[in-house]
Amino acid sequence: MKRAGDRATRPLRLMQVLEPSGGGSGRHFLDLCRGLKQRGHIVHAAYSPRRAEERFVGELLSLGLDGIHPIDMARAPGPSDFGAWRRLRGLMREHGPFDAVHGHSSKAGALTRLRLPGPHVPRIYTPHAFRTMDPGLGPAGYFVYGLIERCLARFLTDQLICVSADEYAHARALGMSRRKLSIIVNGVEEPAHGLRRRIRAELALPDNALVFGFVGRLSAQKAPERLIDAFTIAARMLPHAYLLMVGSGELERQVRERIAKSPAADRIRLTMHYTGRQAMDAIDVLAMPSRYEAMSYVMLEAAAAGRPLVLTEVGGASTVLEDGRNGILVANVDDPAQFARALVKASDPKRLARYETEAARKQGDYGLPRMIAETEAVYRRMVK
C-alpha cells in the first residue's frame, strides 16, 4: 500500500496528447513535456502529424521523452476519429498504466476522455480556447459544441485546466462545475536577447523604424487580414512604421495576396523563420487583432519581453494588458479603422515611452517554472 508521502514525491507516468501541434498550444505542449521530464516524471507524448509544423516535430523529438507517438487526428469531427481513438487506446494499454492522461485542444481532449469501463485513470483537459469562444460560430454551432463540452466535462473529466480567468468564466457560463475547474496561466521562457539587429537586417527593417509585430497562425481566429488592413490605414500617418508578421497557416495564400495589394506592401514583412520569442526582440509593439483567445502565448511572450501591446478585447488580454498603462485594448469588431487608430495612438513617442516603462515593470510575472509546478500539483491531486 502506497503512503501519502509516496504519492507526493514519486515520479508519475504521464501521457500528453495534442492535435494541432503548432501555435500557442504547441508551445505549451512542448514546454510542459520538457518541464515534467526535467522534474523526473515518465512522459509519453502523442501528436497528430496532419497539422504538425516541422519546427514543432523537431523540438519534440529533441526532448528525450520516454515515448513519442504520432496519431492521425483530424481537426474536424469525422469517421477517422474512431481510428485515432483506437490507436490512442492501444498506446495507453501498451505503454501504461499511466497515472494521468492529459488532452490538449478540443479534439485530443475528446479522444482522451472517451473511454471504456475499466481501471480509472484520471483525465485532464486543457482546451486552449473552447470552440464556443469563437464569436463567428453561430447559435447552432454554439449549442452543439457547448453540449459536447458540457457532457464531457460532467461525465468524463477529472479536471479541466483553464489558461485564463476569461476562459474559466466561459467554462462556468457553459455550466461546468467549479470543483472540476482550475486556472493555470501559461508560462513562458525568458525572453531572447541580442537578436534585434540581426533579425532587422535579415528582413530589411531599418534600425530606427517603429516595428509593429504579429506572431501566430494565419487563421480566421487570429484575424491577420484585420491587421493588414489596419496597418495600411495607419501607415499613411506613420511613415517610419513597419509591420512584421511571423507565422503560417491555412490563410497564408490569402494573406500574401492581401499584402501584395496593400499600398504599404513595401513596409510589411511576412516570414515563418523565427519563433515568437525571437521575434519579440525585433519588434517594438505587439499588435494582435484576434477574434477570440483563451490565453495567447504570444501575448505572454511579449509581456515577458517588456513590449507594449495593442490587442483586441478577447480572452486573456486583460491578464497581460492594463488599457492605457502598458498598451491599448481595442473593441473586438471587424473595423480596421478602429484598430488603425490604436496603432497610431500607441506610436506617439511620449505615450509609447510610458507604455514601455510599465511593460518593463510587469515583465517578470510570467515564468515557466510556475506553470509546470502548478500543473504537476493538479496531477498529484488526481492520483489515488
Side-chain angles (χ1 to χ4, degrees):
M1 179 176 174
K2 287 184 169 57
R3 298 188 300 274
D6 297 328
R7 293 200 303 271
T9 58
R10 70 173 177 85
L12 300 174
R13 294 186 64 87
L14 303 168
M15 171 67 88
Q16 302 286 336
V17 187
L18 174 70
E19 180 271 316
S21 304
S25 57
R27 180 73 266 153
H28 174 98
F29 189 80
L30 292 167
D31 288 342
L32 184 61
C33 287
R34 179 191 295 108
L36 292 168
K37 182 65 179 175
Q38 289 173 346
R39 292 172 77 96
H41 301 296
I42 299 162
V43 181
H44 285 253
Y47 75 99
S48 175
R50 284 203 186 194
R51 292 201 289 158
E53 298 173 358
E54 184 178 347
R55 180 183 290 144
F56 169 88
V57 177
E59 190 170 346
L60 182 63
L61 292 172
S62 74
L63 297 183
L65 303 182
D66 300 276
I68 297 173
H69 314 284
I71 299 178
D72 187 23
M73 291 179 276
R75 182 184 188 186
S80 65
D81 291 343
F82 181 66
W85 177 76
R86 287 186 61 189
R87 165 80 170 141
L88 180 59
R89 183 165 162 258
L91 286 172
M92 286 193 277
R93 280 202 312 266
E94 180 182 353
H95 299 283
F98 290 98
D99 292 298
V101 177
H102 190 164
H104 301 259
S105 76
S106 56
K107 176 53 68 71
L111 293 176
T112 54
R113 288 179 289 170
L114 293 171
R115 54 189 185 253
L116 297 174
H120 181 71
V121 177
R123 266 36 175 214
I124 293 90
Y125 170 45
T126 302
H128 299 285
F130 288 104
R131 185 73 176 86
T132 45
M133 296 178 80
D134 180 357
L137 190 58
Y142 184 91
F143 174 79
V144 171
Y145 283 102
L147 180 62
I148 292 170
E149 290 286 6
R150 274 195 300 276
C151 290
L152 288 172
R154 181 174 181 180
F155 299 110
L156 296 173
T157 306
D158 293 278
Q159 194 71 192
L160 192 154
I161 298 176
C162 301
V163 295
S164 70
D166 295 304
E167 190 174 43
Y168 176 90
H170 187 84
R172 291 289 296 135
L174 288 174
M176 296 179 189
S177 169
R178 285 190 183 89
R179 67 182 179 82
K180 289 193 174 184
L181 298 176
S182 302
I183 301 176
I184 302 177
V185 176
N186 291 333
V188 293
E189 293 181 281
E190 289 289 316
H193 298 288
L195 301 177
R196 182 182 180 91
R197 184 164 300 211
R198 175 174 69 80
I199 292 175
R200 288 198 170 201
E202 290 172 353
L203 296 172
L205 295 167
D207 285 342
N208 62 347
L210 173 67
V211 178
F212 294 103
F214 168 101
V215 182
R217 286 193 65 81
L218 303 179
S219 65
Q221 177 190 350
K222 304 297 182 179
E225 79 289 345
R226 277 184 180 177
L227 182 56
I228 295 166
D229 293 348
F231 180 76
T232 298
I233 296 169
R236 300 173 196 152
M237 293 165 274
L238 303 173
H240 64 303
Y242 283 72
L243 174 61
L244 171 57
M245 303 182 73
V246 180
S248 62
E250 56 268 27
L251 297 184
E252 183 174 343
R253 181 178 60 81
Q254 295 95 314
V255 166
R256 290 191 181 278
E257 290 174 353
R258 206 175 196 104
I259 292 172
K261 292 176 181 177
S262 168
D266 62 328
R267 288 195 270 150
I268 303 175
R269 307 287 187 268
L270 174 61
T271 179
M272 61 187 75
H273 295 143
Y274 305 100
T275 65
R277 183 169 163 269
Q278 292 168 336
M280 293 309 155
D281 207 32
I283 70 170
D284 297 297
V285 178
L286 182 74
M288 297 295 294
S290 303
R291 290 187 167 90
Y292 67 98
E293 298 282 0
M295 181 65 257
S296 165
Y297 253 81
V298 174
M299 296 177 189
L300 288 166
E301 286 174 330
R307 295 291 179 264
L309 311 164
V310 177
L311 310 174
T312 43
E313 203 163 355
V314 294
S318 60
T319 302
V320 295
L321 173 54
E322 292 182 66
D323 188 33
R325 294 183 65 85
N326 62 323
I328 302 172
L329 271 177
V330 184
N332 186 9
V333 295
D334 281 310
D335 177 9
Q338 192 163 347
F339 205 87
R341 287 193 291 273
L343 296 179
V344 173
K345 186 176 179 181
S347 69
D348 174 77
K350 290 184 179 179
R351 182 176 282 109
L352 183 60
R354 291 200 307 272
Y355 292 167
E356 288 171 340
T357 299
E358 183 64 17
R361 188 185 67 80
K362 293 167 64 69
Q363 69 183 110
D365 297 345
Y366 311 103
L368 189 56
R370 170 201 49 79
M371 181 191 85
I372 306 298
E374 290 178 2
T375 306
E376 181 188 323
V378 169
Y379 300 153
R380 296 279 186 200
R381 291 202 306 270
M382 298 297 106
V383 174
K384 302 299 181 185

